Amino acid sequence: MSGATSSGVDVFELGSEHEQVVFCNDRASGLRAIIALHSTALGPGLGGTRFFPYASTDDAIADVLNLSRGMSYKNALAGLDLGGGKAVIIGDPAELKTEALLRAYGRFVQSLNGRYFTACDVGTFSEDMDHIARECDYVTGRTVAHGGAGDSSVLTAYGTFQGMRAAAEHAWGEPTLAGRTVGIAGVGKVGRHLVRHLIEDGATVVVTDVHAPSVEAIRAQFPQVQAVASTEELVASELDVYAPCAMGGAISDEVLEVLRATIICGAANNQLAHPGIEKKIAERGILYAPDYCVNAGGVIQVADELEGFSFERAQQRATGIFDTTRRVLELASSDGVTTAEAADRLAERRMREVGRLRGIHLR
């Protein structure tokens, strides 16, 4: 069998940096999943499981390869002794998600014998991790009742807020969003927690979400929050900070044409729509806080579970995202490179220097 899919995507070519890609199929439960391990140089790969109705298998492959690579960089930059992995389950979770499917998936994760630790992502929740853990020892982000770290979006939002404070300091001299207008695209798992941090800091918050009940819930909790009908309307608004907190590819050429914000800093993964756009962001005079730098709070939270979870300890570690973001922004300025390149340099340096001591992870 070749490495190409029916439409011609060559997995070996597309995932040439990756150590391992596993296709999981359980016809009885309807499970179709892909697990990608980008690098285990720093330790076992840790990354969430995304349950999403991809239009095609090729789309799912592209997403899991991008996401797992991003986890290698995120975990490295966060100072964790963990590599990069990610998984996707193909299908609509509202229709396909069952205990049987999740437990079947858990057995596939177990078969990797600790090279991959899974956690929550889009379409999966702590309760799902409890089902997976009934068949698998390599699960994080379980419910607190089952000894887990619970909802990792709590510290994802907290870390993103710390990164935003560092970006504000770099742009305006003070590490606060007080008096600034922040536009948040996506107020689901992470965005809703980020709203609270910003309101408490004295910011004006404008939100949008394709899921109307999410917006209604935020406005019920914080009546001062403004809402607009679409992301297009949000990015064209008078903003100081734009915070993409939904799916990837949020920063496109079209968005940059109309965006008037001084800072881009959000929790979404893989925000840059294509290679080279980071240079266009810099040319526009916009300060981009690299997504995998600022949104690492969630992985810090679930990684802490591997030591016996302490929320206070995990939160203290997530507070360090402020200093990490500051270091990235300072390196970009001193070396005359984009902030995205500066973040990559710091992550790659750690993978290279520490990773050479470890090699490929074997349990």
Side-chain angles (χ1 to χ4, degrees):
M1 180 180 176
S2 75
T5 64
S6 59
S7 62
V9 170
D10 189 317
V11 180
F12 284 106
E13 184 177 326
L14 200 61
S16 60
E17 297 179 356
H18 288 67
E19 290 179 12
Q20 190 174 11
V21 180
V22 180
F23 292 82
C24 314
N25 184 42
D26 182 69
R27 293 182 66 182
S29 66
L31 173 72
R32 291 190 302 150
I34 308 168
I35 302 170
L37 280 164
H38 175 260
S39 169
T40 59
L42 291 176
L46 171 62
T49 296
R50 179 166 293 191
F51 205 140
F52 190 77
Y54 293 98
S56 67
T57 303
D58 289 350
D59 287 350
I61 292 169
D63 203 30
V64 77
L65 292 176
N66 284 334
L67 291 166
S68 57
R69 183 180 187 275
M71 289 307 302
S72 290
Y73 281 73
K74 182 185 296 188
N75 293 339
L77 195 60
L80 300 172
D81 287 338
L82 293 164
K86 202 80 173 185
V88 297
I89 298 174
I90 301 170
D92 185 345
E95 297 177 5
L96 278 182
K97 190 192 291 182
T98 62
E99 177 187 347
L101 180 146
L102 292 168
R103 291 181 70 162
Y105 169 67
R107 293 183 71 80
F108 281 105
V109 176
Q110 183 72 12
S111 74
L112 291 170
N113 198 34
R115 278 176 46 76
Y116 170 61
F117 280 78
T118 195
C120 304
D121 198 79
V122 174
T124 59
F125 301 86
S126 294
E127 292 77 11
D128 300 327
M129 296 304 114
D130 289 344
H131 284 308
I132 293 167
R134 294 175 73 176
E135 304 290 338
C136 180
D137 300 317
Y138 310 110
V139 183
T140 60
R142 292 166 294 168
T143 61
V144 175
H146 285 79
D151 181 8
S152 65
S153 64
V154 174
L155 288 190
T156 303
Y158 177 74
T160 302
F161 175 63
Q162 296 304 323
M164 198 179 291
R165 288 179 60 241
E169 179 188 63
H170 194 86
W172 301 306
E174 294 291 335
T176 178
L177 282 304
R180 306 292 177 182
T181 300
V182 181
I184 302 177
V187 284
K189 278 184 175 182
V190 177
R192 63 192 176 95
H193 294 299
L194 183 58
V195 169
R196 176 174 56 82
H197 291 301
L198 289 165
I199 292 292
E200 290 174 356
D201 196 36
T204 297
V205 178
V206 187
V207 304
T208 192
D209 197 298
V210 294
H211 187 241
S214 295
V215 175
E216 292 162 8
I218 281 292
R219 297 205 69 238
Q221 186 177 2
F222 301 104
Q224 67 270 51
V225 168
Q226 303 167 40
V228 295
S230 66
T231 301
E232 290 76 17
E233 186 177 346
L234 181 68
V235 297
S237 304
E238 290 286 350
L239 302 175
D240 294 301
V241 181
Y242 174 47
C245 293
M247 298 294 281
I251 310 303
S252 63
D253 294 315
E254 293 74 22
V255 166
L256 275 186
E257 283 178 11
V258 298
L259 187 65
R260 287 179 279 180
T262 302
I263 293 170
I264 297 171
C265 179
N269 288 310
N270 299 329
Q271 290 172 25
L272 305 183
H274 61 79
I277 199 166
E278 69 279 4
K279 293 183 174 62
K280 292 186 178 182
I281 295 171
E283 288 166 2
R284 284 283 318 277
I286 298 171
L287 183 66
Y288 168 61
D291 48 31
Y292 73 83
C293 173
V294 303
N295 69 14
V299 75
I300 290 171
Q301 180 171 336
V302 297
D304 194 84
E305 188 177 320
L306 304 179
E307 301 177 33
F309 184 61
S310 161
F311 182 82
E312 293 72 21
R313 180 178 61 202
Q315 185 174 34
Q316 183 59 39
R317 288 175 174 170
T319 302
I321 290 173
F322 178 92
D323 290 327
T324 304
T325 307
R326 177 193 269 169
R327 203 152 47 104
V328 167
L329 301 180
E330 288 174 350
L331 180 65
S333 294
S334 64
D335 284 12
V337 297
T338 66
T339 56
E341 188 175 349
D344 286 356
R345 285 184 181 184
L346 289 174
E348 288 164 359
R349 182 186 306 164
R350 186 164 182 268
M351 282 190 274
R352 185 172 61 249
E353 292 177 355
V354 179
R356 69 180 176 78
L357 305 175
R358 292 169 169 255
I360 291 175
H361 179 78
L362 300 173
R363 193 68 180 173

